PDB file of all heavy atoms in Angstrom:
ATOM      1  N   PHE A 549     -62.715 -36.267  50.736  1.00  0.00           N
ATOM      2  CA  PHE A 549     -63.297 -35.126  51.441  1.00  0.00           C
ATOM      3  C   PHE A 549     -63.173 -33.871  50.588  1.00  0.00           C
ATOM      4  O   PHE A 549     -62.076 -33.537  50.123  1.00  0.00           O
ATOM      5  CB  PHE A 549     -62.567 -34.875  52.766  1.00  0.00           C
ATOM      6  CG  PHE A 549     -62.737 -35.960  53.787  1.00  0.00           C
ATOM      7  CD1 PHE A 549     -61.820 -37.002  53.870  1.00  0.00           C
ATOM      8  CD2 PHE A 549     -63.804 -35.939  54.670  1.00  0.00           C
ATOM      9  CE1 PHE A 549     -61.966 -37.999  54.820  1.00  0.00           C
ATOM     10  CE2 PHE A 549     -63.960 -36.940  55.626  1.00  0.00           C
ATOM     11  CZ  PHE A 549     -63.040 -37.977  55.696  1.00  0.00           C
ATOM     12  N   LEU A 550     -64.290 -33.193  50.390  1.00  0.00           N
ATOM     13  CA  LEU A 550     -64.266 -31.861  49.784  1.00  0.00           C
ATOM     14  C   LEU A 550     -64.457 -30.883  50.933  1.00  0.00           C
ATOM     15  O   LEU A 550     -65.513 -30.879  51.578  1.00  0.00           O
ATOM     16  CB  LEU A 550     -65.392 -31.714  48.766  1.00  0.00           C
ATOM     17  CG  LEU A 550     -65.240 -32.469  47.447  1.00  0.00           C
ATOM     18  CD1 LEU A 550     -66.511 -32.341  46.614  1.00  0.00           C
ATOM     19  CD2 LEU A 550     -64.044 -31.951  46.657  1.00  0.00           C
ATOM     20  N   THR A 551     -63.443 -30.058  51.196  1.00  0.00           N
ATOM     21  CA  THR A 551     -63.513 -29.225  52.391  1.00  0.00           C
ATOM     22  C   THR A 551     -63.297 -27.740  52.088  1.00  0.00           C
ATOM     23  O   THR A 551     -62.555 -27.372  51.169  1.00  0.00           O
ATOM     24  CB  THR A 551     -62.449 -29.661  53.429  1.00  0.00           C
ATOM     25  OG1 THR A 551     -61.145 -29.466  52.869  1.00  0.00           O
ATOM     26  CG2 THR A 551     -62.594 -31.109  53.801  1.00  0.00           C
ATOM     27  N   ALA A 552     -63.979 -26.922  52.875  1.00  0.00           N
ATOM     28  CA  ALA A 552     -63.800 -25.466  52.860  1.00  0.00           C
ATOM     29  C   ALA A 552     -64.383 -24.976  54.190  1.00  0.00           C
ATOM     30  O   ALA A 552     -65.153 -25.696  54.819  1.00  0.00           O
ATOM     31  CB  ALA A 552     -64.542 -24.831  51.692  1.00  0.00           C
ATOM     32  N   HIS A 553     -64.015 -23.777  54.613  1.00  0.00           N
ATOM     33  CA  HIS A 553     -64.593 -23.301  55.883  1.00  0.00           C
ATOM     34  C   HIS A 553     -65.673 -22.260  55.605  1.00  0.00           C
ATOM     35  O   HIS A 553     -65.535 -21.456  54.689  1.00  0.00           O
ATOM     36  CB  HIS A 553     -63.517 -22.769  56.831  1.00  0.00           C
ATOM     37  CG  HIS A 553     -62.821 -21.518  56.386  1.00  0.00           C
ATOM     38  ND1 HIS A 553     -63.319 -20.257  56.666  1.00  0.00           N
ATOM     39  CD2 HIS A 553     -61.664 -21.316  55.708  1.00  0.00           C
ATOM     40  CE1 HIS A 553     -62.496 -19.346  56.179  1.00  0.00           C
ATOM     41  NE2 HIS A 553     -61.476 -19.961  55.575  1.00  0.00           N
ATOM     42  N   ASN A 564     -64.412 -14.217  49.249  1.00  0.00           N
ATOM     43  CA  ASN A 564     -63.359 -15.095  48.748  1.00  0.00           C
ATOM     44  C   ASN A 564     -62.906 -16.087  49.810  1.00  0.00           C
ATOM     45  O   ASN A 564     -62.670 -17.249  49.501  1.00  0.00           O
ATOM     46  CB  ASN A 564     -62.159 -14.255  48.276  1.00  0.00           C
ATOM     47  CG  ASN A 564     -62.454 -13.535  46.970  1.00  0.00           C
ATOM     48  OD1 ASN A 564     -62.447 -14.136  45.906  1.00  0.00           O
ATOM     49  ND2 ASN A 564     -62.770 -12.245  47.054  1.00  0.00           N
ATOM     50  N   ASP A 565     -62.781 -15.595  51.005  1.00  0.00           N
ATOM     51  CA  ASP A 565     -62.253 -16.405  52.118  1.00  0.00           C
ATOM     52  C   ASP A 565     -63.375 -16.714  53.107  1.00  0.00           C
ATOM     53  O   ASP A 565     -63.558 -15.990  54.057  1.00  0.00           O
ATOM     54  CB  ASP A 565     -61.107 -15.653  52.797  1.00  0.00           C
ATOM     55  CG  ASP A 565     -60.508 -16.434  53.936  1.00  0.00           C
ATOM     56  OD1 ASP A 565     -60.731 -17.654  54.004  1.00  0.00           O
ATOM     57  OD2 ASP A 565     -59.849 -15.812  54.782  1.00  0.00           O
ATOM     58  N   ASP A 566     -64.173 -17.723  52.940  1.00  0.00           N
ATOM     59  CA  ASP A 566     -63.912 -18.798  52.021  1.00  0.00           C
ATOM     60  C   ASP A 566     -65.190 -19.130  51.249  1.00  0.00           C
ATOM     61  O   ASP A 566     -65.422 -20.278  50.890  1.00  0.00           O
ATOM     62  CB  ASP A 566     -63.409 -19.993  52.826  1.00  0.00           C
ATOM     63  CG  ASP A 566     -62.721 -21.061  51.979  1.00  0.00           C
ATOM     64  OD1 ASP A 566     -62.430 -20.800  50.817  1.00  0.00           O
ATOM     65  OD2 ASP A 566     -62.498 -22.152  52.504  1.00  0.00           O
ATOM     66  N   GLY A 567     -65.993 -18.043  50.995  1.00  0.00           N
ATOM     67  CA  GLY A 567     -67.256 -18.251  50.285  1.00  0.00           C
ATOM     68  C   GLY A 567     -67.071 -18.909  48.940  1.00  0.00           C
ATOM     69  O   GLY A 567     -67.848 -19.788  48.554  1.00  0.00           O
ATOM     70  N   VAL A 568     -66.031 -18.526  48.208  1.00  0.00           N
ATOM     71  CA  VAL A 568     -65.768 -19.107  46.894  1.00  0.00           C
ATOM     72  C   VAL A 568     -65.440 -20.602  47.032  1.00  0.00           C
ATOM     73  O   VAL A 568     -65.912 -21.427  46.249  1.00  0.00           O
ATOM     74  CB  VAL A 568     -64.624 -18.352  46.185  1.00  0.00           C
ATOM     75  CG1 VAL A 568     -64.082 -19.135  45.007  1.00  0.00           C
ATOM     76  CG2 VAL A 568     -65.109 -16.977  45.736  1.00  0.00           C
ATOM     77  N   GLY A 569     -64.658 -20.941  48.054  1.00  0.00           N
ATOM     78  CA  GLY A 569     -64.329 -22.349  48.286  1.00  0.00           C
ATOM     79  C   GLY A 569     -65.575 -23.171  48.575  1.00  0.00           C
ATOM     80  O   GLY A 569     -65.763 -24.269  48.027  1.00  0.00           O
ATOM     81  N   VAL A 570     -66.451 -22.629  49.415  1.00  0.00           N
ATOM     82  CA  VAL A 570     -67.696 -23.322  49.749  1.00  0.00           C
ATOM     83  C   VAL A 570     -68.554 -23.482  48.492  1.00  0.00           C
ATOM     84  O   VAL A 570     -69.097 -24.559  48.216  1.00  0.00           O
ATOM     85  CB  VAL A 570     -68.475 -22.546  50.838  1.00  0.00           C
ATOM     86  CG1 VAL A 570     -69.866 -23.133  51.027  1.00  0.00           C
ATOM     87  CG2 VAL A 570     -67.711 -22.558  52.157  1.00  0.00           C
ATOM     88  N   ALA A 571     -68.649 -22.410  47.699  1.00  0.00           N
ATOM     89  CA  ALA A 571     -69.456 -22.462  46.475  1.00  0.00           C
ATOM     90  C   ALA A 571     -68.886 -23.478  45.491  1.00  0.00           C
ATOM     91  O   ALA A 571     -69.642 -24.213  44.834  1.00  0.00           O
ATOM     92  CB  ALA A 571     -69.510 -21.075  45.837  1.00  0.00           C
ATOM     93  N   ALA A 572     -67.555 -23.529  45.378  1.00  0.00           N
ATOM     94  CA  ALA A 572     -66.929 -24.505  44.464  1.00  0.00           C
ATOM     95  C   ALA A 572     -67.254 -25.929  44.892  1.00  0.00           C
ATOM     96  O   ALA A 572     -67.535 -26.792  44.057  1.00  0.00           O
ATOM     97  CB  ALA A 572     -65.415 -24.280  44.423  1.00  0.00           C
ATOM     98  N   VAL A 573     -67.232 -26.178  46.202  1.00  0.00           N
ATOM     99  CA  VAL A 573     -67.554 -27.515  46.718  1.00  0.00           C
ATOM    100  C   VAL A 573     -69.014 -27.871  46.397  1.00  0.00           C
ATOM    101  O   VAL A 573     -69.312 -28.961  45.889  1.00  0.00           O
ATOM    102  CB  VAL A 573     -67.313 -27.582  48.242  1.00  0.00           C
ATOM    103  CG1 VAL A 573     -67.916 -28.851  48.832  1.00  0.00           C
ATOM    104  CG2 VAL A 573     -65.816 -27.506  48.545  1.00  0.00           C
ATOM    105  N   LEU A 574     -69.918 -26.934  46.675  1.00  0.00           N
ATOM    106  CA  LEU A 574     -71.341 -27.212  46.437  1.00  0.00           C
ATOM    107  C   LEU A 574     -71.615 -27.434  44.949  1.00  0.00           C
ATOM    108  O   LEU A 574     -72.399 -28.301  44.566  1.00  0.00           O
ATOM    109  CB  LEU A 574     -72.203 -26.063  46.961  1.00  0.00           C
ATOM    110  CG  LEU A 574     -72.262 -25.934  48.483  1.00  0.00           C
ATOM    111  CD1 LEU A 574     -73.196 -24.815  48.892  1.00  0.00           C
ATOM    112  CD2 LEU A 574     -72.720 -27.238  49.129  1.00  0.00           C
ATOM    113  N   ALA A 576     -69.471 -28.546  42.729  1.00  0.00           N
ATOM    114  CA  ALA A 576     -68.921 -29.855  42.348  1.00  0.00           C
ATOM    115  C   ALA A 576     -69.906 -30.962  42.721  1.00  0.00           C
ATOM    116  O   ALA A 576     -70.130 -31.898  41.947  1.00  0.00           O
ATOM    117  CB  ALA A 576     -67.570 -30.079  43.028  1.00  0.00           C
ATOM    118  N   LEU A 594     -67.248 -31.586  53.799  1.00  0.00           N
ATOM    119  CA  LEU A 594     -67.005 -31.103  55.155  1.00  0.00           C
ATOM    120  C   LEU A 594     -66.802 -29.592  55.098  1.00  0.00           C
ATOM    121  O   LEU A 594     -65.774 -29.116  54.609  1.00  0.00           O
ATOM    122  CB  LEU A 594     -65.768 -31.796  55.739  1.00  0.00           C
ATOM    123  CG  LEU A 594     -65.245 -31.258  57.073  1.00  0.00           C
ATOM    124  CD1 LEU A 594     -66.312 -31.363  58.167  1.00  0.00           C
ATOM    125  CD2 LEU A 594     -63.985 -32.011  57.497  1.00  0.00           C
ATOM    126  N   LEU A 595     -67.816 -28.859  55.522  1.00  0.00           N
ATOM    127  CA  LEU A 595     -67.690 -27.397  55.591  1.00  0.00           C
ATOM    128  C   LEU A 595     -67.372 -27.064  57.045  1.00  0.00           C
ATOM    129  O   LEU A 595     -68.217 -27.178  57.928  1.00  0.00           O
ATOM    130  CB  LEU A 595     -68.986 -26.728  55.120  1.00  0.00           C
ATOM    131  CG  LEU A 595     -69.427 -27.120  53.693  1.00  0.00           C
ATOM    132  CD1 LEU A 595     -70.738 -26.442  53.325  1.00  0.00           C
ATOM    133  CD2 LEU A 595     -68.339 -26.776  52.662  1.00  0.00           C
ATOM    134  N   GLU A 599     -62.551 -21.740  61.303  1.00  0.00           N
ATOM    135  CA  GLU A 599     -61.181 -21.822  60.768  1.00  0.00           C
ATOM    136  C   GLU A 599     -60.420 -20.569  61.147  1.00  0.00           C
ATOM    137  O   GLU A 599     -59.250 -20.608  61.518  1.00  0.00           O
ATOM    138  CB  GLU A 599     -61.239 -21.978  59.241  1.00  0.00           C
ATOM    139  CG  GLU A 599     -59.909 -22.348  58.586  1.00  0.00           C
ATOM    140  CD  GLU A 599     -59.057 -21.151  58.174  1.00  0.00           C
ATOM    141  OE1 GLU A 599     -59.529 -19.999  58.273  1.00  0.00           O
ATOM    142  OE2 GLU A 599     -57.912 -21.346  57.780  1.00  0.00           O
ATOM    143  N   VAL A 622     -58.149 -35.459  51.162  1.00  0.00           N
ATOM    144  CA  VAL A 622     -58.836 -34.182  51.323  1.00  0.00           C
ATOM    145  C   VAL A 622     -58.483 -33.242  50.176  1.00  0.00           C
ATOM    146  O   VAL A 622     -57.307 -33.057  49.851  1.00  0.00           O
ATOM    147  CB  VAL A 622     -58.419 -33.504  52.653  1.00  0.00           C
ATOM    148  CG1 VAL A 622     -59.067 -32.132  52.782  1.00  0.00           C
ATOM    149  CG2 VAL A 622     -58.770 -34.388  53.838  1.00  0.00           C
ATOM    150  N   VAL A 623     -59.501 -32.655  49.566  1.00  0.00           N
ATOM    151  CA  VAL A 623     -59.279 -31.563  48.621  1.00  0.00           C
ATOM    152  C   VAL A 623     -59.772 -30.298  49.326  1.00  0.00           C
ATOM    153  O   VAL A 623     -60.976 -30.104  49.498  1.00  0.00           O
ATOM    154  CB  VAL A 623     -60.041 -31.787  47.298  1.00  0.00           C
ATOM    155  CG1 VAL A 623     -59.752 -30.658  46.315  1.00  0.00           C
ATOM    156  CG2 VAL A 623     -59.667 -33.136  46.681  1.00  0.00           C
ATOM    157  N   ASN A 624     -58.820 -29.460  49.789  1.00  0.00           N
ATOM    158  CA  ASN A 624     -59.175 -28.284  50.587  1.00  0.00           C
ATOM    159  C   ASN A 624     -59.163 -27.012  49.721  1.00  0.00           C
ATOM    160  O   ASN A 624     -58.347 -26.885  48.806  1.00  0.00           O
ATOM    161  CB  ASN A 624     -58.189 -28.128  51.751  1.00  0.00           C
ATOM    162  CG  ASN A 624     -58.671 -27.109  52.770  1.00  0.00           C
ATOM    163  OD1 ASN A 624     -59.854 -27.046  53.102  1.00  0.00           O
ATOM    164  ND2 ASN A 624     -57.766 -26.281  53.266  1.00  0.00           N
ATOM    165  N   HIS A 625     -60.068 -26.103  50.019  1.00  0.00           N
ATOM    166  CA  HIS A 625     -60.252 -24.891  49.212  1.00  0.00           C
ATOM    167  C   HIS A 625     -60.064 -23.661  50.087  1.00  0.00           C
ATOM    168  O   HIS A 625     -60.769 -23.491  51.071  1.00  0.00           O
ATOM    169  CB  HIS A 625     -61.669 -24.859  48.626  1.00  0.00           C
ATOM    170  CG  HIS A 625     -62.018 -26.069  47.814  1.00  0.00           C
ATOM    171  ND1 HIS A 625     -62.249 -27.300  48.392  1.00  0.00           N
ATOM    172  CD2 HIS A 625     -62.159 -26.244  46.480  1.00  0.00           C
ATOM    173  CE1 HIS A 625     -62.522 -28.174  47.436  1.00  0.00           C
ATOM    174  NE2 HIS A 625     -62.482 -27.564  46.268  1.00  0.00           N
ATOM    175  N   GLU A 626     -59.128 -22.799  49.692  1.00  0.00           N
ATOM    176  CA  GLU A 626     -58.849 -21.612  50.504  1.00  0.00           C
ATOM    177  C   GLU A 626     -58.582 -20.390  49.632  1.00  0.00           C
ATOM    178  O   GLU A 626     -58.401 -20.496  48.427  1.00  0.00           O
ATOM    179  CB  GLU A 626     -57.621 -21.870  51.386  1.00  0.00           C
ATOM    180  CG  GLU A 626     -57.978 -22.287  52.801  1.00  0.00           C
ATOM    181  CD  GLU A 626     -58.633 -21.180  53.627  1.00  0.00           C
ATOM    182  OE1 GLU A 626     -58.853 -20.066  53.115  1.00  0.00           O
ATOM    183  OE2 GLU A 626     -58.932 -21.442  54.794  1.00  0.00           O
ATOM    184  N   ALA A 627     -58.522 -19.233  50.272  1.00  0.00           N
ATOM    185  CA  ALA A 627     -58.187 -17.993  49.571  1.00  0.00           C
ATOM    186  C   ALA A 627     -57.400 -17.074  50.488  1.00  0.00           C
ATOM    187  O   ALA A 627     -57.705 -16.958  51.673  1.00  0.00           O
ATOM    188  CB  ALA A 627     -59.451 -17.289  49.102  1.00  0.00           C
ATOM    189  N   VAL A 634     -55.492 -20.411  40.690  1.00  0.00           N
ATOM    190  CA  VAL A 634     -55.659 -21.260  41.873  1.00  0.00           C
ATOM    191  C   VAL A 634     -54.441 -22.168  41.959  1.00  0.00           C
ATOM    192  O   VAL A 634     -54.118 -22.876  41.012  1.00  0.00           O
ATOM    193  CB  VAL A 634     -56.956 -22.089  41.760  1.00  0.00           C
ATOM    194  CG1 VAL A 634     -57.114 -23.006  42.953  1.00  0.00           C
ATOM    195  CG2 VAL A 634     -58.154 -21.156  41.643  1.00  0.00           C
ATOM    196  N   TRP A 637     -50.714 -25.268  46.644  1.00  0.00           N
ATOM    197  CA  TRP A 637     -49.533 -24.689  47.292  1.00  0.00           C
ATOM    198  C   TRP A 637     -48.990 -25.573  48.412  1.00  0.00           C
ATOM    199  O   TRP A 637     -47.905 -25.324  48.922  1.00  0.00           O
ATOM    200  CB  TRP A 637     -49.840 -23.282  47.805  1.00  0.00           C
ATOM    201  CG  TRP A 637     -50.706 -23.220  49.000  1.00  0.00           C
ATOM    202  CD1 TRP A 637     -52.019 -23.572  49.082  1.00  0.00           C
ATOM    203  CD2 TRP A 637     -50.332 -22.781  50.310  1.00  0.00           C
ATOM    204  NE1 TRP A 637     -52.486 -23.386  50.343  1.00  0.00           N
ATOM    205  CE2 TRP A 637     -51.471 -22.890  51.123  1.00  0.00           C
ATOM    206  CE3 TRP A 637     -49.145 -22.292  50.849  1.00  0.00           C
ATOM    207  CZ2 TRP A 637     -51.455 -22.545  52.478  1.00  0.00           C
ATOM    208  CZ3 TRP A 637     -49.133 -21.946  52.198  1.00  0.00           C
ATOM    209  CH2 TRP A 637     -50.283 -22.071  52.989  1.00  0.00           C
ATOM    210  N   THR A 675     -53.886 -23.115  57.192  1.00  0.00           N
ATOM    211  CA  THR A 675     -55.247 -23.413  56.770  1.00  0.00           C
ATOM    212  C   THR A 675     -55.657 -24.670  57.535  1.00  0.00           C
ATOM    213  O   THR A 675     -54.863 -25.213  58.314  1.00  0.00           O
ATOM    214  CB  THR A 675     -55.312 -23.708  55.263  1.00  0.00           C
ATOM    215  OG1 THR A 675     -54.592 -24.922  55.014  1.00  0.00           O
ATOM    216  CG2 THR A 675     -54.688 -22.583  54.441  1.00  0.00           C
ATOM    217  N   ASP A 676     -56.878 -25.142  57.259  1.00  0.00           N
ATOM    218  CA  ASP A 676     -57.331 -26.379  57.908  1.00  0.00           C
ATOM    219  C   ASP A 676     -56.386 -27.551  57.650  1.00  0.00           C
ATOM    220  O   ASP A 676     -56.435 -28.556  58.360  1.00  0.00           O
ATOM    221  CB  ASP A 676     -58.745 -26.728  57.427  1.00  0.00           C
ATOM    222  CG  ASP A 676     -59.815 -25.915  58.155  1.00  0.00           C
ATOM    223  OD1 ASP A 676     -59.506 -25.389  59.246  1.00  0.00           O
ATOM    224  OD2 ASP A 676     -60.936 -25.807  57.642  1.00  0.00           O
ATOM    225  N   PHE A 680     -55.857 -31.261  59.476  1.00  0.00           N
ATOM    226  CA  PHE A 680     -56.093 -32.537  58.790  1.00  0.00           C
ATOM    227  C   PHE A 680     -54.840 -33.407  58.761  1.00  0.00           C
ATOM    228  O   PHE A 680     -54.910 -34.619  58.906  1.00  0.00           O
ATOM    229  CB  PHE A 680     -56.548 -32.291  57.339  1.00  0.00           C
ATOM    230  CG  PHE A 680     -57.901 -31.650  57.227  1.00  0.00           C
ATOM    231  CD1 PHE A 680     -58.122 -30.619  56.323  1.00  0.00           C
ATOM    232  CD2 PHE A 680     -58.960 -32.085  58.015  1.00  0.00           C
ATOM    233  CE1 PHE A 680     -59.375 -30.031  56.202  1.00  0.00           C
ATOM    234  CE2 PHE A 680     -60.216 -31.494  57.908  1.00  0.00           C
ATOM    235  CZ  PHE A 680     -60.419 -30.462  56.997  1.00  0.00           C
ATOM    236  N   VAL A 687     -53.681 -34.686  51.986  1.00  0.00           N
ATOM    237  CA  VAL A 687     -54.334 -33.404  51.700  1.00  0.00           C
ATOM    238  C   VAL A 687     -53.730 -32.706  50.486  1.00  0.00           C
ATOM    239  O   VAL A 687     -52.511 -32.607  50.350  1.00  0.00           O
ATOM    240  CB  VAL A 687     -54.226 -32.438  52.903  1.00  0.00           C
ATOM    241  CG1 VAL A 687     -55.147 -31.234  52.694  1.00  0.00           C
ATOM    242  CG2 VAL A 687     -54.548 -33.122  54.212  1.00  0.00           C
ATOM    243  N   LEU A 688     -54.618 -32.216  49.622  1.00  0.00           N
ATOM    244  CA  LEU A 688     -54.251 -31.254  48.585  1.00  0.00           C
ATOM    245  C   LEU A 688     -54.819 -29.918  49.026  1.00  0.00           C
ATOM    246  O   LEU A 688     -56.028 -29.777  49.188  1.00  0.00           O
ATOM    247  CB  LEU A 688     -54.873 -31.663  47.241  1.00  0.00           C
ATOM    248  CG  LEU A 688     -54.342 -32.943  46.596  1.00  0.00           C
ATOM    249  CD1 LEU A 688     -55.308 -33.444  45.542  1.00  0.00           C
ATOM    250  CD2 LEU A 688     -52.986 -32.687  45.963  1.00  0.00           C
ATOM    251  N   ASP A 689     -53.947 -28.930  49.238  1.00  0.00           N
ATOM    252  CA  ASP A 689     -54.376 -27.630  49.751  1.00  0.00           C
ATOM    253  C   ASP A 689     -54.343 -26.614  48.602  1.00  0.00           C
ATOM    254  O   ASP A 689     -53.272 -26.170  48.188  1.00  0.00           O
ATOM    255  CB  ASP A 689     -53.412 -27.198  50.870  1.00  0.00           C
ATOM    256  CG  ASP A 689     -54.062 -26.258  51.863  1.00  0.00           C
ATOM    257  OD1 ASP A 689     -55.278 -25.990  51.732  1.00  0.00           O
ATOM    258  OD2 ASP A 689     -53.353 -25.781  52.781  1.00  0.00           O
ATOM    259  N   TRP A 690     -55.529 -26.264  48.079  1.00  0.00           N
ATOM    260  CA  TRP A 690     -55.623 -25.317  46.964  1.00  0.00           C
ATOM    261  C   TRP A 690     -55.968 -23.934  47.493  1.00  0.00           C
ATOM    262  O   TRP A 690     -56.822 -23.804  48.385  1.00  0.00           O
ATOM    263  CB  TRP A 690     -56.721 -25.743  45.988  1.00  0.00           C
ATOM    264  CG  TRP A 690     -56.454 -27.016  45.255  1.00  0.00           C
ATOM    265  CD1 TRP A 690     -56.812 -28.276  45.653  1.00  0.00           C
ATOM    266  CD2 TRP A 690     -55.775 -27.174  43.996  1.00  0.00           C
ATOM    267  NE1 TRP A 690     -56.396 -29.197  44.721  1.00  0.00           N
ATOM    268  CE2 TRP A 690     -55.774 -28.551  43.696  1.00  0.00           C
ATOM    269  CE3 TRP A 690     -55.185 -26.281  43.103  1.00  0.00           C
ATOM    270  CZ2 TRP A 690     -55.194 -29.067  42.535  1.00  0.00           C
ATOM    271  CZ3 TRP A 690     -54.615 -26.796  41.940  1.00  0.00           C
ATOM    272  CH2 TRP A 690     -54.616 -28.163  41.671  1.00  0.00           C
ATOM    273  N   ALA A 691     -55.343 -22.908  46.944  1.00  0.00           N
ATOM    274  CA  ALA A 691     -55.661 -21.540  47.357  1.00  0.00           C
ATOM    275  C   ALA A 691     -55.265 -20.575  46.253  1.00  0.00           C
ATOM    276  O   ALA A 691     -54.438 -20.905  45.403  1.00  0.00           O
ATOM    277  CB  ALA A 691     -54.934 -21.176  48.649  1.00  0.00           C
ATOM    278  N   TYR A 692     -55.862 -19.396  46.289  1.00  0.00           N
ATOM    279  CA  TYR A 692     -55.411 -18.344  45.373  1.00  0.00           C
ATOM    280  C   TYR A 692     -55.079 -17.112  46.188  1.00  0.00           C
ATOM    281  O   TYR A 692     -55.606 -16.901  47.279  1.00  0.00           O
ATOM    282  CB  TYR A 692     -56.439 -18.054  44.286  1.00  0.00           C
ATOM    283  CG  TYR A 692     -57.827 -17.708  44.779  1.00  0.00           C
ATOM    284  CD1 TYR A 692     -58.207 -16.386  44.990  1.00  0.00           C
ATOM    285  CD2 TYR A 692     -58.766 -18.708  45.005  1.00  0.00           C
ATOM    286  CE1 TYR A 692     -59.485 -16.069  45.413  1.00  0.00           C
ATOM    287  CE2 TYR A 692     -60.046 -18.395  45.427  1.00  0.00           C
ATOM    288  CZ  TYR A 692     -60.402 -17.074  45.635  1.00  0.00           C
ATOM    289  OH  TYR A 692     -61.668 -16.763  46.063  1.00  0.00           O
ATOM    290  N   MET A 714     -62.884 -18.561  40.366  1.00  0.00           N
ATOM    291  CA  MET A 714     -63.855 -19.490  40.966  1.00  0.00           C
ATOM    292  C   MET A 714     -64.080 -20.691  40.045  1.00  0.00           C
ATOM    293  O   MET A 714     -64.162 -21.833  40.501  1.00  0.00           O
ATOM    294  CB  MET A 714     -65.163 -18.767  41.244  1.00  0.00           C
ATOM    295  CG  MET A 714     -66.193 -19.644  41.914  1.00  0.00           C
ATOM    296  SD  MET A 714     -67.371 -18.766  42.952  1.00  0.00           S
ATOM    297  CE  MET A 714     -68.280 -17.826  41.792  1.00  0.00           C
ATOM    298  N   MET A 717     -61.159 -23.094  40.269  1.00  0.00           N
ATOM    299  CA  MET A 717     -61.197 -23.874  41.503  1.00  0.00           C
ATOM    300  C   MET A 717     -62.183 -25.032  41.360  1.00  0.00           C
ATOM    301  O   MET A 717     -61.884 -26.179  41.689  1.00  0.00           O
ATOM    302  CB  MET A 717     -61.582 -22.949  42.656  1.00  0.00           C
ATOM    303  CG  MET A 717     -61.397 -23.553  44.020  1.00  0.00           C
ATOM    304  SD  MET A 717     -61.486 -22.278  45.308  1.00  0.00           S
ATOM    305  CE  MET A 717     -59.846 -22.426  45.994  1.00  0.00           C
ATOM    306  N   GLY A 718     -63.368 -24.710  40.832  1.00  0.00           N
ATOM    307  CA  GLY A 718     -64.394 -25.740  40.677  1.00  0.00           C
ATOM    308  C   GLY A 718     -64.011 -26.803  39.662  1.00  0.00           C
ATOM    309  O   GLY A 718     -64.219 -28.003  39.889  1.00  0.00           O
ATOM    310  N   ASN A 720     -61.010 -27.821  38.767  1.00  0.00           N
ATOM    311  CA  ASN A 720     -60.000 -28.706  39.355  1.00  0.00           C
ATOM    312  C   ASN A 720     -60.630 -29.691  40.339  1.00  0.00           C
ATOM    313  O   ASN A 720     -60.352 -30.886  40.311  1.00  0.00           O
ATOM    314  CB  ASN A 720     -58.938 -27.884  40.100  1.00  0.00           C
ATOM    315  CG  ASN A 720     -57.850 -27.368  39.171  1.00  0.00           C
ATOM    316  OD1 ASN A 720     -57.717 -27.824  38.041  1.00  0.00           O
ATOM    317  ND2 ASN A 720     -57.076 -26.417  39.645  1.00  0.00           N
ATOM    318  N   SER A 721     -61.503 -29.176  41.194  1.00  0.00           N
ATOM    319  CA  SER A 721     -62.044 -30.027  42.261  1.00  0.00           C
ATOM    320  C   SER A 721     -62.989 -31.090  41.722  1.00  0.00           C
ATOM    321  O   SER A 721     -62.974 -32.230  42.192  1.00  0.00           O
ATOM    322  CB  SER A 721     -62.747 -29.173  43.310  1.00  0.00           C
ATOM    323  OG  SER A 721     -61.786 -28.344  43.918  1.00  0.00           O
ATOM    324  N   LEU A 722     -63.795 -30.721  40.725  1.00  0.00           N
ATOM    325  CA  LEU A 722     -64.704 -31.711  40.150  1.00  0.00           C
ATOM    326  C   LEU A 722     -63.906 -32.843  39.498  1.00  0.00           C
ATOM    327  O   LEU A 722     -64.214 -34.030  39.681  1.00  0.00           O
ATOM    328  CB  LEU A 722     -65.640 -31.044  39.130  1.00  0.00           C
ATOM    329  CG  LEU A 722     -66.653 -31.975  38.463  1.00  0.00           C
ATOM    330  CD1 LEU A 722     -67.553 -32.631  39.507  1.00  0.00           C
ATOM    331  CD2 LEU A 722     -67.508 -31.215  37.440  1.00  0.00           C
ATOM    332  N   LEU A 724     -60.884 -33.769  40.257  1.00  0.00           N
ATOM    333  CA  LEU A 724     -60.164 -34.544  41.278  1.00  0.00           C
ATOM    334  C   LEU A 724     -61.093 -35.451  42.076  1.00  0.00           C
ATOM    335  O   LEU A 724     -60.723 -36.575  42.430  1.00  0.00           O
ATOM    336  CB  LEU A 724     -59.403 -33.602  42.218  1.00  0.00           C
ATOM    337  CG  LEU A 724     -58.140 -32.997  41.595  1.00  0.00           C
ATOM    338  CD1 LEU A 724     -57.623 -31.844  42.441  1.00  0.00           C
ATOM    339  CD2 LEU A 724     -57.051 -34.064  41.431  1.00  0.00           C
TER     340      LEU A 724
END
Side-chain angles (χ1 to χ4, degrees):
F549 293 92
L550 288 174
T551 63
H553 67 87
N564 287 284
D565 181 17
D566 196 12
V568 165
V570 171
V573 168
L574 290 183
L594 171 60
L595 303 178
E599 191 270 353
V622 176
V623 182
N624 192 40
H625 304 72
E626 262 292 2
V634 178
W637 73 293
T675 66
D676 280 340
F680 293 137
V687 192
L688 292 162
D689 206 4
W690 293 91
Y692 55 93
M714 182 152 67
M717 191 166 242
N720 276 345
S721 296
L722 181 59
L724 285 167

